[in-house]
């Protein structure tokens, strides 16, 4: 199992590095595909998908809105002359409002096909996976050194998770959430936070600042604070995704990634960390 997880992890890192370096349409297409798969996994886990192989109207609505959102985001960021949040907010708010209206339309005109809980879950899952994950694309295309800055998302999610695992194995004694994730320890959590802070500090000092223009120069202390809080946020994302699985009595969201499970099993912390890093960067880079 460890060998399978290791190989899958290396392949994921290679794919992530390649798509981030490519950026543009390649990154948008890959993130859109990942978002569609994640959305499907969530709808199946929470009962929006109500059995069978066919995609129902709620799921199809979510799929189409995900594609429309990424297309709008790609066009919006492609056209802007310099980094500005208005293009991002405009696309996000437009698709969000349209999503509410369309989901309500499907609910009303298919009544009583779907329950209110299914409709609300379908909308929440659209915001949760596709929309939040798109922050990776916004970071990559929104700053001149976006490729370097995007790595911060993975440092506070996958990086902190690795640090937490190592410290937890060596020193873990006190359970963090025994009913939700028995293997996670408080010591491991502290190790993940401290590890992320150190990773952010080192990466900022040796990688980002030496090659970045003055506009995106990041102070060492703000970078370490961003990493520490980002690690906490990513842990919440991981635990929240686990809570959804526990609520619906499933072990994994899927079987797409050998040794890891589904997209949501591997990207649960990334999905939450990405928007946090995006907003954090807007603050500390001015």
């Amino acid at each position: 199992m460890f060998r399978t997880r290791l190989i899958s992890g290396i392949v994921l890192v290679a794919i992530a590095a390649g798509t981030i370096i490519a950026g543009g349409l390649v990154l948008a297409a890959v993130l859109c595909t990942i978002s569609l798969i994640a959305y499907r996994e969530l709808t199946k886990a929470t009962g929006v998908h109500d059995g069978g192989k066919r995609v129902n109207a709620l799921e199809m609505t979510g799929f189409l809105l995900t594609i429309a959102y990424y297309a709008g985001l790609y066009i919006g960021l492609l056209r802007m002359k310099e980094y500005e949040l208005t293009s991002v907010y405009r696309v996000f708010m437009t698709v969000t409002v349209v999503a509410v209206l369309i989901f309500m339309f499907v609910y009303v005109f298919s009544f009583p096909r779907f329950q209110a809980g299914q409709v609300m879950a379908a909308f929440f899952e659209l915001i949760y996976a596709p929309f939040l994950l798109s922050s990776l694309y916004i970071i990559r295309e929104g700053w001149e050194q976006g490729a370097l800055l995007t790595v911060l998302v993975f440092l506070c999610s996958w990086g902190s998770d690795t640090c937490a695992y190592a410290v937890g194995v060596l020193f873990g004694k006190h359970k963090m959430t025994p009913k939700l994730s028995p293997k996670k320890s408080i010591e491991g959590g502290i190790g993940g936070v401290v590890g992320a802070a150190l990773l952010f500090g080192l990466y900022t000092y040796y990688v980002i600042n030496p090659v970045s223009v003055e506009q995106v120069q990041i102070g060492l202390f703000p970078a370490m604070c961003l990493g520490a809080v980002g690690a906490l946020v990513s842990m919440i994302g991981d635990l929240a995704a686990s809570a959804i699985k526990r609520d619906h009595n499933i072990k994994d969201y899927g079987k797409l990634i050998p040794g890891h499970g589904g997209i949501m099993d591997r990207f649960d912390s990334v999905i939450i960390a990405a928007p946090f890093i995006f907003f954090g960067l807007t603050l500390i880079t001015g």
Side-chain angles (χ1 to χ4, degrees):
M1 174 63 83
F2 175 77
R3 183 180 179 182
T4 302
R5 286 178 61 87
L6 179 62
I7 294 174
S8 297
I10 293 173
V11 172
L12 282 174
V13 170
I15 294 174
T19 53
I20 289 171
I21 292 172
L25 184 60
V26 173
L27 180 59
V30 170
L31 287 177
C32 183
T33 301
I34 292 175
S35 296
L36 291 170
I37 298 172
Y39 187 76
R40 173 69 165 177
E41 290 176 351
L42 284 168
T43 59
K44 292 178 68 175
T46 59
V48 174
H49 177 79
D50 44 12
K53 296 182 179 180
R54 296 182 61 184
V55 175
N56 62 38
L58 287 178
E59 291 176 296
M60 182 57 67
T61 298
F63 292 154
L64 294 176
L65 286 168
T66 296
I67 295 172
Y69 172 67
Y70 274 94
L73 200 59
Y74 172 73
I75 295 172
L77 291 181
L78 187 65
R79 290 181 175 180
M80 71 181 186
K81 297 180 180 179
E82 59 184 18
Y83 185 76
E84 55 182 12
L85 295 179
T86 53
S87 296
V88 176
Y89 292 151
R90 189 179 300 116
V91 174
F92 179 80
M93 290 305 301
T94 299
V95 179
T96 300
V97 172
V98 170
V100 172
L101 296 175
I102 294 179
F103 276 122
M104 290 175 63
F105 181 91
V106 172
Y107 180 43
V108 169
F109 287 96
S110 64
F111 191 84
R113 173 71 173 79
F114 301 108
Q115 298 179 353
Q118 289 177 296
V119 179
M120 289 185 282
F123 176 72
F124 167 77
E125 287 153 5
L126 179 68
I127 302 296
Y128 178 30
F131 284 18
L132 295 187
L133 188 61
S134 70
S135 299
L136 281 171
Y137 180 74
I138 299 170
I139 295 171
R140 172 62 180 86
E141 297 302 308
W143 277 274
E144 184 176 345
Q145 299 296 333
L148 295 178
L149 295 175
T150 305
V151 175
L152 294 174
V153 176
F154 296 97
L155 287 181
C156 77
S157 54
W158 295 351
S160 68
D161 185 58
T162 301
C163 293
Y165 175 79
V167 174
V169 169
L170 294 174
F171 306 105
K173 294 181 179 181
H174 303 87
K175 302 299 181 182
M176 182 184 296
T177 54
K179 293 184 178 180
L180 183 57
S181 187
K183 294 183 179 180
K184 294 186 183 300
S185 66
I186 295 176
E187 292 82 0
I190 295 173
V193 171
V194 174
L198 293 175
L199 288 173
F200 267 56
L202 292 172
Y203 184 75
T204 298
Y205 186 80
Y206 288 106
V207 179
I208 294 179
N209 287 345
V211 300
S212 296
V213 295
E214 291 185 5
Q215 186 179 2
V216 292
Q217 289 286 308
I218 302 175
L220 189 60
F221 180 71
M224 295 182 70
C225 289
L226 184 65
V229 181
L232 288 173
V233 171
S234 68
M235 288 180 196
I236 295 299
D238 185 8
L239 292 171
S242 296
I244 293 174
K245 290 191 293 184
R246 299 294 183 273
D247 280 342
H248 296 87
N249 297 314
I250 59 174
K251 183 178 183 296
D252 295 316
Y253 282 100
K255 299 179 180 179
L256 181 64
I257 307 174
H260 293 272
I263 288 293
M264 283 299 302
D265 293 295
R266 184 65 276 181
F267 284 84
D268 47 10
S269 58
V270 175
I271 287 172
I272 301 300
F276 174 80
I277 296 299
F278 164 60
F279 286 112
L281 286 173
T282 62
L283 292 175
I284 65 177
T285 62

